[in-house]
Amino acid sequence: MSVQIYDNFLNKDEFKRLLAEINKREYTWGHSSANGDNEYPWLTMNLDNCEYAHHILNTKIEPIVNMRFDTERIYLNGMMYGSQSAFHKDSNKDNARTFLYFIHECTYDDADKYGGYFYYKLNNEIRCIEPIQNRGIFFNGNILHKGVSFDRCTGLLRQSIAWKLYIKTDNQTFFTNNEESNTETSNNETSNTETSNTENIYDKQIRQDILSIINNVDNPYPDNILYGIDTFKPLMNLTSYKHIINCDKSINICFENEEEYSISNTFLKKST
């Protein structure tokens, strides 16, 4: 898979809450990526016990990338000027994934002046992505990559949160209308019963996921229109489940492009 970019990943309230959780904790020094002689360490902060970091994984990351994960670890990198990393892989396993999220102050206008790029190797090329604040990037853990510190003139700490993940083997993706069900019904009565039970389990989880997202959308119509559709994309993904049934709450959401983003159209497709 190619590296996927998600700009304006958190809304304003979510971003503020994440920063508040980080400010409760302290950095330690000595982190490196490959432990090579050509590296110089940087700051790190363990977020494994941060409930809000896990909440972001469950309600934001998993829906938008359409996968479910087991978590290896979650931590924050703080690279100061002079820190030096090397190209490395997060894992050699095919099901390893990393979601990297930038929280430092860096805009599109700043990026080329500040540096601090995320570099990765793909098809014998070295490519880079600007470390824009509130940008998430998602990639295979087994590709070669590295992050570098900001240039000396900025005086900024490069801060990125890393979710190191493994795709769940028992439920690798969210079901969508375009996917084939992995619980196909056979003529055998036992198979019918097993399929029905499996669908009931999915239906219950779907309702919980949708309600979780609805209840945590604090600002559905923010001033910055860039947040509008992005805020509801996870919800839109969830409403395309093949096995979805009626929600416990009504959903009434309007987007700029009604035909493309209509939640009601999704349900109408299901009922036909």
Side-chain angles (χ1 to χ4, degrees):
M1 62 169 266
S2 61
V3 176
Q4 299 173 22
I5 300 175
Y6 301 97
D7 285 338
N8 303 306
F9 184 65
L10 299 182
N11 66 38
K12 294 177 182 178
D13 291 335
E14 291 166 338
F15 187 75
K16 288 179 181 178
R17 181 173 175 184
L18 178 60
L19 291 184
E21 292 295 327
I22 289 171
N23 289 335
K24 297 176 183 177
R25 294 165 169 79
E26 295 181 351
Y27 278 112
T28 58
W29 185 83
H31 185 72
S32 61
S33 55
N35 297 317
D37 294 336
N38 59 334
E39 289 195 313
Y40 189 77
W42 52 90
L43 299 168
T44 187
M45 181 186 296
N46 189 329
L47 297 177
D48 287 334
N49 63 347
C50 177
E51 291 185 7
Y52 196 60
H54 289 277
H55 172 79
I56 291 173
L57 171 63
N58 295 330
T59 64
K60 303 287 289 191
I61 297 175
E62 288 185 331
I64 203 170
V65 303
N66 200 30
M67 297 178 183
R68 295 189 184 278
F69 300 103
D70 291 317
T71 306
E72 179 187 353
R73 57 187 175 134
I74 308 172
Y75 60 93
L76 173 61
N77 288 306
M79 296 186 74
M80 70 289 287
Y81 175 75
S83 298
Q84 181 67 45
S85 63
F87 277 105
H88 66 282
K89 297 180 180 181
D90 291 338
S91 173
N92 289 318
K93 296 182 178 179
D94 291 335
N95 69 332
R97 298 290 186 273
T98 298
F99 193 92
L100 197 65
Y101 177 70
F102 302 112
I103 64 172
H104 47 240
E105 295 182 7
C106 181
T107 67
Y108 285 98
D109 294 334
D110 298 330
D112 288 336
K113 296 183 293 183
Y114 288 6
Y117 297 116
F118 171 84
Y119 292 95
Y120 65 101
K121 293 187 177 183
L122 186 66
N123 298 329
N124 296 320
E125 294 179 344
I126 296 178
R127 307 182 183 186
C128 69
I129 296 174
E130 302 95 331
I132 307 300
Q133 185 184 62
N134 202 17
R135 166 176 282 180
I137 55 177
F138 180 64
F139 56 95
N140 279 28
N142 60 6
I143 68 169
L144 285 168
H145 65 279
K146 71 174 182 176
V148 299
S149 63
F150 285 126
D151 294 340
R152 170 188 259 172
C153 62
T154 66
L156 287 177
L157 188 68
R158 183 185 186 274
Q159 295 173 291
S160 60
I161 300 177
W163 282 263
K164 299 295 180 68
L165 309 165
Y166 291 99
I167 302 173
K168 283 183 177 290
T169 56
D170 57 339
N171 187 15
Q172 292 188 3
T173 62
F174 289 86
F175 287 102
T176 67
N177 287 330
N178 296 324
E179 292 177 308
E180 292 294 325
S181 169
N182 63 357
T183 55
E184 292 182 351
T185 304
S186 70
N187 293 326
N188 185 284
E189 182 177 350
T190 302
S191 296
N192 285 332
T193 302
E194 291 177 352
T195 300
S196 178
N197 290 339
T198 302
E199 290 179 355
N200 287 336
I201 293 172
Y202 285 133
D203 289 339
K204 184 179 295 185
Q205 183 62 50
I206 292 163
R207 288 199 302 275
Q208 292 174 351
D209 289 344
I210 290 176
L211 293 177
S212 174
I213 288 178
I214 293 173
N215 289 333
N216 284 285
V217 175
D218 298 324
N219 187 13
Y221 300 105
D223 295 334
N224 187 343
I225 195 62
L226 291 175
Y227 288 105
I229 292 176
D230 288 338
T231 299
F232 290 105
K233 277 184 178 177
L235 179 58
M236 291 155 57
N237 288 338
L238 286 172
T239 55
S240 65
Y241 275 101
K242 178 174 285 188
H243 303 297
I244 194 168
I245 64 175
N246 292 333
C247 300
D248 296 333
K249 288 187 177 182
S250 60
I251 303 175
N252 184 13
I253 302 171
C254 180
F255 297 96
E256 295 95 322
N257 187 333
E258 182 67 17
E259 287 299 316
E260 184 176 0
Y261 295 109
S262 173
I263 298 297
S264 59
N265 284 351
T266 303
F267 286 103
L268 288 174
K269 290 178 183 178
K270 173 187 175 295
S271 62
T272 58

